[in-house]
Amino acid sequence: MTHIEELGKLFDDFAKLFDQLSVIQQEKVQATNQDDLQALEHCMQREQAFSLQIRGMQRKKDQLSNALGLGSVSLREIPDHLSPSDRALIAPAMKKFRAAYELYASAAAASRAILETTLQEIEHALDEAGKAAPQAQSPRPQQGSFTDIKA
């Protein structure tokens, strides 16, 4: 397999990973809306596992970039540095990658917004509960209000 073919496969792998991450983002939204903390935690654990995969794929990208003489060119910019014939070979994979990434970015933004809103609601409820709690408790006597009997 040539370096360009490996690069095309890497773009395909990234696209599949971003598709899976998009599904997780949708599941996070659903779990948040249903107040299902266990499902939300499971989604976050899966995200962490995918982040490890991304690191490994990033190392592969760095190896391919170096082999192609591109150094530290970002993944998105690699096609701009290839010959027209090589660019044509990876164009389908690159198109899938860009579409999957854009879908993921959109889903992640929506998920983040819903999580932030929910956290703000929880903080507000806790603040309100904290304000109401001292009123509900019986007042504590202040020091010195009892007679200290010592014999």
Side-chain angles (χ1 to χ4, degrees):
M1 184 180 288
T2 69
H3 294 304
I4 295 299
E5 290 170 336
E6 287 181 54
L7 185 62
K9 182 180 178 340
L10 184 64
F11 278 118
D12 278 336
D13 291 345
F14 267 112
K16 289 174 188 170
L17 185 122
F18 284 122
D19 285 341
Q20 292 172 328
L21 283 170
S22 294
V23 170
I24 291 174
Q25 296 307 311
Q26 293 168 357
E27 290 173 4
K28 280 172 53 178
V29 168
Q30 185 177 16
T32 302
N33 288 335
Q34 295 174 350
D35 295 329
D36 188 346
L37 292 177
Q38 197 170 30
L40 184 60
E41 183 179 351
H42 180 68
C43 289
M44 294 170 87
Q45 289 170 349
R46 289 174 32 216
E47 276 183 316
Q48 289 174 346
F50 281 122
S51 71
L52 294 174
Q53 269 188 280
I54 289 173
R55 284 188 208 143
M57 293 167 69
Q58 183 64 36
R59 277 189 237 111
K60 178 70 173 173
K61 175 258 173 204
D62 291 341
Q63 291 171 351
L64 286 171
S65 292
N66 289 333
L68 292 168
L70 301 176
S72 61
V73 173
S74 74
L75 191 62
R76 288 182 142 213
E77 295 173 348
I78 286 177
D80 299 336
H81 296 275
L82 298 176
S83 68
S85 61
D86 287 343
R87 199 172 322 150
L89 285 173
I90 66 164
M94 187 66 190
K95 184 178 179 180
K96 280 196 284 187
F97 163 75
R98 284 188 174 141
Y101 180 78
E102 287 174 13
L103 179 64
Y104 163 72
S106 175
S111 172
R112 185 173 35 258
I114 288 171
L115 285 170
E116 287 173 357
T117 300
T118 302
L119 284 174
Q120 289 171 354
E121 290 171 357
I122 290 170
E123 286 176 359
H124 180 71
L126 288 174
D127 287 345
E128 292 298 317
K131 290 176 186 175
Q135 296 168 356
Q137 294 178 350
S138 61
R140 292 185 158 257
Q142 294 185 2
Q143 190 170 357
S145 64
F146 290 110
T147 306
D148 192 11
I149 302 174
K150 291 185 182 177

